[in-house]
Amino acid sequence: MKKSYNSLALTLTICMVFLFSSFSLNAQVGVGTTTPDAQLDIVAPAATGNALQVNDDNTTNASSSVWVRNSGLGYGINLQTLNTGSNFPSLGITQFGTGAISRGLDINMDATTGAYALAVFQNGAGDGIYNQINGSGIVGVYNDLSDHGGIGDFVDLDDNDGTGVLVYGVDNGAAPTSGGDVFAFNGIVRTNTATGAFVNGGVLAGQQFGVGHGTIITHSGTAGRNAEFNITNAANADAAIFSVHLGQGSAIVAQNQNNAITGTITVADFAYTGTDIDDHIGIEGASTPAAGWGIGMLGTGNWYGVASIGDFTATGAKAFTIDHPQDPANMMLKHFSVESNEVLNMYRGVEAFDASGKAIVSLPDYYDSININPSYQLTPIGAAMPNLYIESEIANGQFVIAGGVPNKKVSWQITAERNDPYFQQNPEKKQDVVTKEGSRNGKYFNPELYNQPKEKGMFYNANKEKQELTKVRNSNTKQLEDRKAESAEAIKEEKVEDKK
């Protein structure tokens, strides 16, 4: 019975406090204490039970259960957990509502304030904010900037080491053995401005002002591409990857450094795999710094520096160029190819005549497999031989020269039409005059030689023209440049003495 009287007294005391407070009660009131140090001081000495409980049982009441209006300079509500052994939070919010927009906590800031809506000061070794989703939700933090745009997350590390955003998609960060279908970053953007020198939007943009890398992506899995860039709109004529270097290095460097490769690999694969009928180019290199300078493409190999599977052509001279043997530091030596309107192979040699004035010439054993229609050229050596002639034409890799002077020599040369399987199956490749058909018509290999604009070039490519690097133009960029995130010390935190 005494416990019931005490409970009743406590209830009546609280009711009286709120009743008298409406009459501007200035005295300090204590509940559970005789020495209150606040306008209302409630001390719950019991081992169980709430110190203060407010129940609003009317389901149609749209007002607040507790409404605190603070006109002073301190906190509206100040919560302190004084038990150092407690594992419970200072504030617990449980939302049982099932409405479509029901929420656990709302913070509404006045439209005229520039203050933070939420500030968290972590002075210990724990996390600043811990967010755990145990239900069917899929979004950890939802930032709605749809009204006026802005910055979803701003992370300021100043000059400290750190990571702006770290995503774990594995079971163990130190020794991962499994993981889910996770994207550490996935952005969906529909930029509503034209691209060009300035771009007003993109999935990812950043600036590196230090000496580190702009982007580092390391792939340690047994399969999967390290990076993939796709353009899926057939009308888009821009490059999938564009790189500009204004410094002293290469715009792109690619190396494969594996010392134990099965089979043959290609360090850089470029291929047009569509079916459009035009002279699409797998790879193009251009370097035209000044007249007489620049190498469009350079190949270095211990077997072949350049290999062409198919025909090879050039509009200029075909030559070998080496350091001049007599002045290698200052001079170059060039020898040029002999051109022909036929596809020809040439063989030459010197033979001695026997006592009868004949010479039998043996050609390589593959000769008959790759040649037809030979022509012969003979030059006597050591004496005049006006009666030189071909006694027997090439058969089974041999031919006979007669009419020579015994024990003298003859220089011979065979020029034959190439006839290996490639030209047997592609006889049109031997044509020396070819009509320009389709998109080739009206175009020139060297339009400048015929006073034509460069755009009429057979392989004109606007991407070879100098292009300016893209500049990010975003209203928020200037805000980031002008703003320095305020540190924890800059935000004055009101200190409330712990109760003893």
Side-chain angles (χ1 to χ4, degrees):
M1 182 65 69
K2 181 178 180 180
K3 182 176 181 181
S4 298
Y5 283 127
N6 291 338
S7 176
L8 177 61
L10 177 61
T11 302
L12 291 175
T13 300
I14 295 175
C15 292
M16 292 299 292
V17 168
F18 284 100
L19 177 64
F20 287 128
S21 64
S22 63
F23 296 100
S24 301
L25 180 66
N26 294 321
Q28 292 181 327
V29 177
V31 178
T33 178
T34 59
T35 58
D37 61 359
Q39 198 75 10
L40 173 61
D41 193 348
I42 301 175
V43 178
T48 60
N50 300 320
L52 175 64
Q53 181 171 317
V54 178
N55 296 315
D56 187 348
D57 295 331
N58 191 326
T59 58
T60 63
N61 187 351
S63 298
S64 303
S65 295
V66 176
W67 187 15
V68 178
R69 303 177 68 180
N70 181 14
S71 299
L73 300 176
Y75 291 110
I77 297 178
N78 189 301
L79 302 177
Q80 290 183 334
T81 298
L82 304 179
N83 188 340
T84 59
S86 174
N87 289 320
F88 286 90
S90 295
L91 175 65
I93 299 176
T94 303
Q95 165 65 274
F96 291 104
T98 58
I101 59 173
S102 60
R103 297 170 297 279
L105 176 66
D106 272 357
I107 300 177
N108 295 312
M109 304 296 293
D110 188 83
T112 60
T113 183
Y116 293 101
L118 176 65
V120 177
F121 301 92
Q122 168 57 275
N123 298 316
D127 298 324
I129 297 178
Y130 178 78
N131 181 29
Q132 180 175 340
I133 296 180
N134 296 320
S136 60
I138 60 173
V139 179
V141 177
Y142 181 81
N143 293 325
D144 187 354
L145 305 179
S146 58
D147 285 345
H148 65 280
I151 301 169
D153 288 289
F154 178 68
V155 179
D156 181 18
L157 297 176
D158 202 350
D159 60 352
N160 298 295
D161 297 336
T163 301
V165 177
L166 178 63
V167 178
Y168 267 155
V170 297
D171 59 342
N172 186 324
T177 60
S178 64
D181 295 328
V182 175
F183 291 98
F185 177 83
N186 189 355
I188 300 174
V189 176
R190 187 180 179 90
T191 302
N192 197 30
T193 54
T195 59
F198 287 91
V199 173
N200 285 46
V203 175
L204 182 64
Q207 290 180 298
Q208 161 65 277
F209 293 101
V211 296
H213 299 303
T215 302
I216 300 176
I217 302 176
T218 300
H219 192 314
S220 301
T222 58
R225 297 182 174 97
N226 195 43
E228 183 171 328
F229 301 90
N230 303 311
I231 291 180
T232 59
N233 192 317
N236 191 338
D238 288 317
I241 299 176
F242 177 70
S243 175
V244 172
H245 195 317
L246 300 180
Q248 308 296 317
S250 301
I252 297 177
V253 174
Q255 294 182 346
N256 186 303
Q257 300 180 350
N258 191 341
N259 295 323
I261 297 177
T262 301
T264 301
I265 60 99
T266 303
V267 175
D269 293 296
F270 297 90
Y272 173 76
T273 58
T275 59
D276 181 66
I277 301 176
D278 210 328
D279 292 317
H280 301 296
I281 301 170
I283 184 170
E284 179 176 359
S287 177
T288 55
W293 293 89
I295 305 296
M297 190 174 299
L298 176 66
T300 302
N302 289 336
W303 187 19
Y304 287 109
V306 176
S308 173
I309 308 302
D311 294 347
F312 177 84
T313 191
T315 59
K318 295 182 285 293
F320 79 74
T321 305
I322 62 174
D323 298 319
H324 197 294
Q326 297 176 343
D327 190 0
N330 302 301
M331 303 290 289
M332 292 181 287
L333 179 63
K334 301 171 68 175
H335 274 33
F336 299 90
S337 300
V338 177
E339 312 289 351
S340 173
N341 64 337
E342 297 180 279
V343 184
L344 302 174
N345 291 324
M346 186 183 72
Y347 305 87
R348 69 181 188 86
V350 175
E351 291 291 336
F353 290 109
D354 59 17
S356 64
K358 294 183 179 182
I360 300 175
V361 179
S362 296
L363 297 170
D365 56 6
Y366 56 77
Y367 174 88
D368 290 329
S369 301
I370 65 171
N371 293 288
I372 58 174
N373 302 327
S375 59
Y376 305 83
Q377 183 175 345
L378 304 175
T379 302
I381 300 174
M385 303 177 197
N387 297 320
L388 278 179
Y389 68 99
I390 302 298
E391 182 180 79
S392 300
E393 292 196 64
I394 299 172
N396 298 321
Q398 290 185 331
F399 68 98
V400 179
I401 304 172
V405 176
N407 302 319
K408 298 299 182 180
K409 296 180 180 180
V410 61
S411 172
W412 60 267
Q413 179 177 304
I414 300 296
T415 305
E417 184 179 349
R418 180 178 163 184
N419 191 47
D420 55 72
Y422 178 79
F423 281 102
Q424 292 173 10
Q425 298 176 32
N426 301 277
E428 75 283 357
K429 298 291 187 178
K430 295 183 178 182
Q431 296 178 4
D432 59 331
V433 178
V434 180
T435 301
K436 294 179 180 178
E437 298 178 344
S439 63
R440 300 169 184 162
N441 188 261
K443 295 182 179 178
Y444 304 80
F445 289 107
N446 295 101
E448 70 281 0
L449 301 180
Y450 302 93
N451 298 318
Q452 296 296 321
K454 59 185 178 181
E455 288 78 12
K456 284 200 172 185
M458 184 74 72
F459 307 112
Y460 173 73
N461 183 357
N463 286 330
K464 292 192 300 184
E465 306 296 329
K466 183 178 180 180
Q467 301 183 44
E468 297 297 331
L469 71 164
T470 301
K471 299 179 177 62
V472 176
R473 181 166 56 192
N474 190 310
S475 59
N476 296 315
T477 303
K478 182 60 177 176
Q479 297 176 21
L480 287 177
E481 293 174 351
D482 294 342
R483 173 175 180 171
K484 177 67 175 177
E486 297 181 51
S487 63
E489 293 79 6
I491 304 176
K492 293 183 178 180
E493 186 178 10
E494 295 289 339
K495 301 297 181 182
V496 178
E497 293 295 330
D498 296 344
K499 292 187 176 181
K500 304 299 182 182

